[in-house]
Amino acid sequence: MDQLLYGSNSEENIIAVHPASDHSVRMYIKSHDQITTSEVEFYPFFYLVSPKYLKDYPKKHWIKELNGDNYFRYLCAFTSWLEMWDAIRFVLDRYNENAPSKIYSYTDLPILHVRTDPIAQFLKQTGRTLFKGMKFEDLYRLQIDIETLTKRGFKFSNPHRLEDKIVVIALTDNRGWEHIIHAKRKSEKELLQEFVDLIREKDPDVIEGHNIFGFDLPYILTRCEMMSVDMDIGRDGSTPHPVDTRLSYAERSLGYTPYEIAGRQIIDTLLLLQSYDTANRSLENYSLKNAAKHFGFTKKDRVYLQPDRITWHWENEPDKLMRYCLDDARETGMLSDHLSPCVFLLTQMLPFNYSSVARLGTSAKIESLLLREYIRQKHSIPKPEIGTQTLGGYTDIFHTGVLGPVVDVDVESLYPSIMLNEKITPKTEKLGIFLSLLDELIKIRLDAKRKMEAASNQNEYLKFENLQHAFKTLINSFYGYLGYSKALFNDYKAADSVAQAGQIILGQLISRITESEGKVIEVDTDGVYFVPPKTVLDEKDEVDLIEAFAAQLPSGIKLQINGRYERMLSYKKKNYALLGYDGRVIVKGSSLISRTMEKYGRDFIKLCIEALLNNDFDKVHDSYVSYHKSIDGHRLSVKDFARTETLRDSYDDYINEVKEGKRNRSACYEVAIQSGMSWKVGDKVSYYFTGAETGVKGFENCKLADEWDPNFPDENVPYYLKRLDECAKKFEDFFSEKDFHAIFSIDDLFGFSSQGIYILTKSVKLEAREAQEEETESIHVEPKIWLDEDML
DNA sequence: GGACTCCGTATACC
DNA sequence: ACGGGTATACGGAGTCC
């Protein structure tokens, strides 16, 4: 089992593997803080359907017929990377001789499968992994952050603009060393040279930065080139280079170009934060400052500066700017302390460099484990099947309104449990290792969870918390892997079976709850929010009740209480708010907290929800009147009503698609074009709507937020009032028509009174079924029966 | 010209 | 190189009366 997870080669202390030549790699070994290297030959390979495509290929190569009858039955190996690429071109030509339509790229070749990362190939072939026998603390990690000037009149600093430049570089490490380099008394060229010399002197194993791939590294590289500074910071004296020059695609789809530095690892804490949040969904944005607050390591005297005032600070308060830069580097280090340990642990298992593990998705990780074992056992591998998954999680809503008390009960690891219980595995996975891997990963996670609960201090707790979290995401993605179109071992039927089994278990749980006189409010995939029966008085009763439910579910299915709440506002599927016993309010759902909504709308809805959860109708009314007056009197700031969108297409793509009628004009692009700004894909624009009527086209009446002048406010008041009413309308179903209009009205002629107003709770199930009944004109059934069933 | 549907895009939940 | 389906909201364009 160890071999499955950790690879068959137990060599220790490897801290990096990078290409040395086109037929060898260099391993960097660390022992007693000394780095040694060793160069190892390796044999590039690809998979092929039939040896006939390599017939008469003149250069040295081996073709090995593999066991089993999966699609790719031959493994072809070569003596050098270049010769492997030669062979790929050879196969491409051979294939095209008889192909119905000509293929130009190896990626479209259905008869060949190749992974173009030489290091991943080498590690898979040899069963080696990085960091064996090491602790996270053994790594020497260095953090960097830079501050740059921006030419007057421009919003973003641009390394290609001669007037813009790097003025401060802060460096910190995980041993308490801190250093600032700045350009007050030296040229930028001298500053860059000092930086390069420092990196070589400190000789870090890992270089960390927040958005280092998207900003710091490309910026430094560009300036080094412009100033003729040799950025030879690789441990073999080489300069940083893009990971795979063949794939310019990555740049477009990822929005950044990953770099490599020979003998070292690069960690972008922005990427770590993003992948942490895909499962957690608790971060408002991915800025370093916000992350520091979220994890609670912001220092008391931390310096905050406005990003668009950096140039001003450099000219007027350079010391403050330097402290700010240093604080950024420090926080990057602390963020990495939190998020990197799980990447470190995964790197001990996976056939990739540390920096690759940090970048790759969960699917690539699972597949690498499968492939490594298939190579070891010399077994043929499948190709992805074509099709789609047809079933997903079960989502339903039974009641709207405000209800309570509420228990959120979860089926623990629903999909992984089903896969193990029912032995659901890809049909092409002939070695039977898919479930063994899953089983083992679950064991490791449970172990981490136990250690987390037994932790004696906060640090230890966080360490194991992160660890079990990393495994949780990997474990949960085994199900996603089954339905992933590009996965070699995908199996849509298997994915559907898992989803269906999940739906059935949720259905059983719902039945148990209603049978016990509990009231189910809403269900999503693996969890249920419900009002426990009146006989349940306290937390202990709730625990007992859940245990009783679990006993009636299939064995191996465990329930856990995810949360307890005083009240719940149920709006629509996946859209609700919770009032905790500590008074805290959590709002969920895109229609209640979407980032596309104007800030004032979000604020207004938040206020209303908090007031509704506390039965304070006066406050709801006051909020409405207050926002109405503020909009009407131009008293909101542009920050409150501006909308911010990402420009996902380039100027040319947008113009062409509009011309061809493939897409509509949209305000964010129009405003960017109109203001003459040039943008990169992924840039954001903030804009607002102008004009004096509601019915006008948005894209013809918009302006950049920066152009808004508080002395001559020209925002579209009727439009923003209409938006306010649209927000209010979300609460329409919670009240009688009369009450709704009394609350959300500015007509205070007779004064507003909340007397006699109450929130309606409705049974959604009942209405939905009646509607469905009308639609399908199915057999008429007495409403009494539906009522009965609903009350069960 | 307003009410309606359709469609693509964006965001969020699990 | 890239996990998945389910769900709501919204702007713009086309269609109908």
Side-chain angles (χ1 to χ4, degrees):
Chain A
M1 175 45 64
D2 259 19
Q3 193 169 279
L4 258 189
L5 273 184
Y6 292 91
S8 55
N9 186 317
S10 57
E11 185 169 343
E12 297 190 338
N13 301 323
I14 304 171
I15 55 161
V17 185
H18 286 116
S21 68
D22 80 332
H23 56 88
S24 62
V25 299
R26 188 171 288 117
M27 299 197 296
Y28 296 80
I29 319 283
K30 184 172 191 170
S31 96
H32 302 100
D33 264 355
Q34 289 288 85
I35 308 292
T36 52
T37 63
S38 83
E39 201 171 319
V40 189
E41 295 288 315
F42 99 105
Y43 300 91
F45 66 92
F46 56 66
Y47 286 95
L48 205 54
V49 164
S50 157
K52 73 177 182 196
Y53 296 102
L54 270 181
K55 192 167 176 284
D56 300 330
Y57 177 64
K59 297 190 179 147
K60 190 169 167 90
H61 65 282
W62 299 267
I63 300 179
K64 165 83 189 161
E65 186 173 356
L66 301 164
N67 305 322
D69 52 3
N70 273 327
Y71 183 74
F72 291 109
R73 282 179 48 218
Y74 297 88
L75 196 140
C76 314
F78 305 86
T79 52
S80 84
W81 199 244
L82 277 174
E83 289 186 15
M84 185 197 80
W85 279 107
D86 255 5
I88 289 176
R89 274 183 292 274
F90 186 88
V91 170
L92 190 64
D93 291 342
R94 269 293 159 93
Y95 178 81
N96 277 332
E97 282 169 14
N98 295 312
S101 61
K102 212 165 168 347
I103 282 173
Y104 297 93
S105 163
Y106 75 93
T107 49
D108 301 325
L109 259 182
I111 51 149
L112 178 144
H113 173 77
V114 62
R115 285 282 142 95
T116 58
D117 173 355
I119 304 312
Q121 282 207 357
F122 168 76
L123 293 172
K124 267 188 217 137
Q125 246 175 61
T126 61
R128 287 186 172 91
T129 63
L130 273 65
F131 302 157
K132 282 199 181 102
M134 291 176 68
K135 295 195 297 288
F136 179 62
E137 294 73 29
D138 295 336
L139 289 180
Y140 177 45
R141 299 154 43 222
L142 191 127
Q143 295 82 36
I144 61 169
D145 186 58
I146 65 172
E147 298 303 330
T148 61
L149 301 187
T150 307
K151 188 183 177 181
R152 191 176 290 276
F154 290 89
K155 202 148 183 226
F156 300 103
S157 185
N158 181 347
H160 295 285
R161 197 156 44 219
L162 210 60
E163 298 92 329
D164 293 3
K165 60 172 186 172
I166 303 172
V167 290
V168 186
I169 304 179
L171 301 102
T172 58
D173 71 13
N174 60 331
R175 297 173 185 175
W177 173 80
E178 294 183 340
H179 192 77
I180 295 171
I181 327 174
H182 64 87
K184 265 298 168 199
R185 281 180 297 277
K186 55 173 82 99
S187 69
E188 189 189 17
K189 178 168 177 160
E190 288 167 327
L191 173 127
L192 289 167
Q193 190 58 57
E194 196 177 329
F195 170 73
V196 170
D197 293 343
L198 253 178
I199 300 273
R200 293 170 58 105
E201 184 200 319
K202 301 303 284 185
D203 195 26
D205 305 321
V206 187
I207 296 177
E208 302 173 342
H210 197 69
N211 197 19
I212 190 170
F213 287 132
F215 185 70
D216 303 64
L217 195 55
Y219 205 111
I220 294 170
L221 276 164
T222 306
R223 297 308 284 190
C224 277
E225 200 172 310
M226 286 166 77
M227 306 282 143
S228 305
V229 173
D230 193 9
M231 200 181 165
D232 49 351
I233 58 173
R235 273 177 164 154
D236 61 357
S238 63
T239 54
H241 45 275
V243 165
D244 191 345
T245 43
R246 246 167 254 277
L247 292 171
S248 62
Y249 184 93
E251 199 173 347
R252 269 181 292 145
S253 77
L254 300 173
Y256 66 87
T257 315
Y259 278 85
E260 251 171 17
I261 301 172
R264 310 188 202 280
Q265 308 286 345
I266 310 176
I267 291 291
D268 191 333
T269 48
L270 175 64
L271 297 183
L272 296 191
L273 194 60
Q274 282 171 342
S275 79
Y276 167 85
D277 199 49
T278 46
N280 207 295
R281 287 276 165 208
S282 53
L283 287 152
E284 221 171 273
N285 62 65
Y286 299 140
S287 73
L288 190 54
K289 287 87 184 163
N290 186 51
K293 276 183 198 146
H294 179 263
F295 291 110
F297 52 70
T298 308
K299 266 191 13 197
K300 277 201 304 291
D301 55 348
R302 207 262 195 245
V303 181
Y304 290 102
L305 300 181
Q306 281 178 34
D308 55 352
R309 302 258 297 159
I310 299 296
T311 307
W312 184 91
H313 284 289
W314 175 247
E315 281 156 10
N316 298 283
E317 303 179 327
D319 289 348
K320 199 169 178 187
L321 180 63
M322 290 175 205
R323 287 208 311 279
Y324 171 74
C325 187
L326 184 61
D327 279 341
D328 272 2
R330 287 171 176 158
E331 281 187 352
T332 301
M334 289 188 276
L335 183 56
S336 170
D337 289 342
H338 274 81
L339 300 179
S340 294
C342 16
V343 183
F344 178 88
L345 207 116
L346 286 169
T347 307
Q348 293 182 322
M349 304 180 186
L350 302 171
F352 298 109
N353 268 313
Y354 182 48
S355 46
S356 307
V357 174
R359 262 193 341 262
L360 287 169
T362 46
S363 180
K365 290 174 182 146
I366 292 171
E367 193 157 280
S368 72
L369 292 176
L370 294 172
L371 284 177
R372 181 174 61 197
E373 185 61 11
Y374 271 67
I375 290 170
R376 197 185 69 82
Q377 296 202 28
K378 300 184 175 58
H379 200 282
S380 55
I381 62 165
K383 64 170 174 177
E385 80 175 336
I386 295 165
T388 48
Q389 198 179 324
T390 58
L391 230 69
Y394 170 51
T395 310
D396 213 343
I397 185 165
F398 293 78
H399 289 92
T400 63
V402 174
L403 305 100
V406 170
V407 175
D408 171 15
V409 59
D410 253 30
V411 180
E412 200 177 41
S413 308
L414 177 65
Y415 291 153
S417 307
I418 290 168
M419 283 190 272
L420 285 175
N421 276 359
E422 309 203 6
K423 303 206 184 334
I424 299 172
T425 174
K427 61 179 177 299
T428 47
E429 208 283 276
K430 307 290 188 188
L431 297 181
I433 56 174
F434 190 78
L435 292 180
S436 320
L437 279 169
L438 181 58
D439 193 36
E440 195 61 18
L441 286 166
I442 287 173
K443 276 188 199 143
I444 296 182
R445 181 187 169 220
L446 291 180
D447 184 53
K449 231 178 153 179
R450 268 195 298 276
K451 283 179 179 154
M452 174 185 98
E453 278 148 16
S456 53
N457 61 61
Q458 181 73 0
N459 261 352
E460 200 159 288
Y461 178 87
L462 278 172
K463 186 170 140 191
F464 288 116
E465 207 276 329
N466 270 318
L467 217 139
Q468 70 91 15
H469 181 260
F471 281 99
K472 186 178 177 182
T473 53
L474 196 54
I475 288 162
N476 284 337
S477 50
F478 270 65
Y479 160 72
Y481 182 85
L482 293 175
Y484 177 39
S485 61
K486 303 281 166 60
L488 289 171
F489 293 90
N490 65 2
D491 185 340
Y492 298 113
K493 264 176 83 176
D496 282 339
S497 312
V498 177
Q500 193 181 20
Q503 296 207 1
I504 290 170
I505 288 168
L506 257 289
Q508 289 171 338
L509 177 56
I510 291 163
S511 302
R512 297 300 91 81
I513 293 171
T514 39
E515 280 162 16
S516 79
E517 311 264 311
K519 193 182 208 177
V520 175
I521 304 170
E522 98 133 37
V523 187
D524 193 348
T525 309
D526 58 1
V528 180
Y529 288 94
F530 74 100
V531 183
K534 295 216 162 38
T535 50
V536 168
L537 297 175
D538 55 19
E539 193 169 354
K540 193 192 166 298
D541 290 349
E542 288 171 7
V543 172
D544 292 344
L545 184 71
I546 299 303
E547 265 176 32
F549 291 155
Q552 298 174 66
L553 293 173
S555 68
I557 298 299
K558 295 197 185 89
L559 296 180
Q560 63 183 9
I561 293 179
N562 217 21
R564 315 169 57 241
Y565 305 93
E566 200 174 315
R567 311 183 82 187
M568 173 172 183
L569 179 147
S570 171
Y571 175 53
K572 286 184 171 171
K573 290 175 186 176
K574 296 179 196 278
N575 287 271
Y576 55 86
L578 300 158
L579 173 66
Y581 287 103
D582 56 359
R584 264 170 35 105
V585 172
I586 302 165
V587 183
K588 296 270 190 181
S590 62
S591 59
L592 300 178
I593 54 160
S594 171
R595 265 183 286 218
T596 47
M597 201 186 295
E598 297 83 355
K599 186 176 178 296
Y600 80 90
R602 285 201 307 270
D603 292 344
F604 170 64
I605 287 176
K606 185 94 194 280
L607 276 175
C608 289
I609 287 174
E610 281 170 2
L612 289 176
L613 281 167
N614 290 298
N615 261 318
D616 190 347
F617 306 120
D618 290 307
K619 199 170 171 191
V620 180
H621 175 72
D622 290 348
S623 302
Y624 179 78
V625 172
S626 151
Y627 272 100
H628 199 285
K629 284 184 179 162
S630 294
I631 296 166
D632 209 25
H634 289 286
R635 284 206 303 276
L636 290 185
S637 139
V638 68
K639 282 203 310 285
D640 295 314
F641 55 78
R643 203 176 283 178
T644 303
E645 282 181 61
T646 310
L647 301 164
R648 279 160 210 277
D649 289 317
S650 67
Y651 174 84
D652 291 339
D653 287 352
Y654 173 72
I655 292 291
N656 285 336
E657 284 185 21
V658 168
K659 211 181 277 173
E660 290 166 27
K662 276 191 196 158
R663 68 134 79 206
N664 298 322
R665 287 186 179 277
S666 99
C668 58
Y669 289 95
E670 295 300 321
V671 88
I673 292 166
Q674 186 185 294
S675 66
M677 67 184 266
S678 62
W679 72 83
K680 293 193 309 287
V681 171
D683 284 354
K684 292 190 159 105
V685 280
S686 289
Y687 64 92
Y688 67 100
F689 292 116
T690 56
E693 339 161 39
T694 56
V696 292
K697 285 192 176 94
F699 64 78
E700 288 168 353
N701 297 274
C702 45
K703 273 166 80 174
L704 269 187
D706 287 344
E707 293 172 33
W708 185 76
D709 182 349
N711 298 312
F712 303 97
D714 59 349
E715 73 271 15
N716 188 330
V717 167
Y719 171 79
Y720 287 113
L721 285 176
K722 193 186 88 179
R723 292 283 296 156
L724 180 69
D725 282 334
E726 281 166 6
C727 291
K729 222 173 149 62
K730 292 180 194 293
F731 303 108
E732 203 173 15
D733 277 357
F734 292 1
F735 298 101
S736 70
E737 203 182 327
K738 182 171 145 287
D739 287 352
F740 177 76
H741 285 114
I743 295 172
F744 296 102
S745 157
I746 50 163
D747 187 8
D748 272 348
L749 196 55
F750 304 104
F752 171 76
S753 165
S754 59
Q755 194 70 45
I757 290 180
Y758 61 95
I759 298 176
L760 301 172
T761 57
K762 293 186 186 170
S763 164
V764 179
K765 231 31 219 167
L766 185 64
E767 286 168 11
R769 279 181 191 166
E770 278 174 350
Q772 198 181 3
E773 195 185 329
E774 270 173 46
E775 247 173 55
T776 57
E777 288 184 1
S778 62
I779 325 141
H780 181 256
V781 185
E782 286 296 311
K784 181 78 173 66
I785 294 177
W786 293 120
L787 271 173
D788 280 346
E789 194 168 320
D790 191 64
M791 305 304 270
L792 266 177

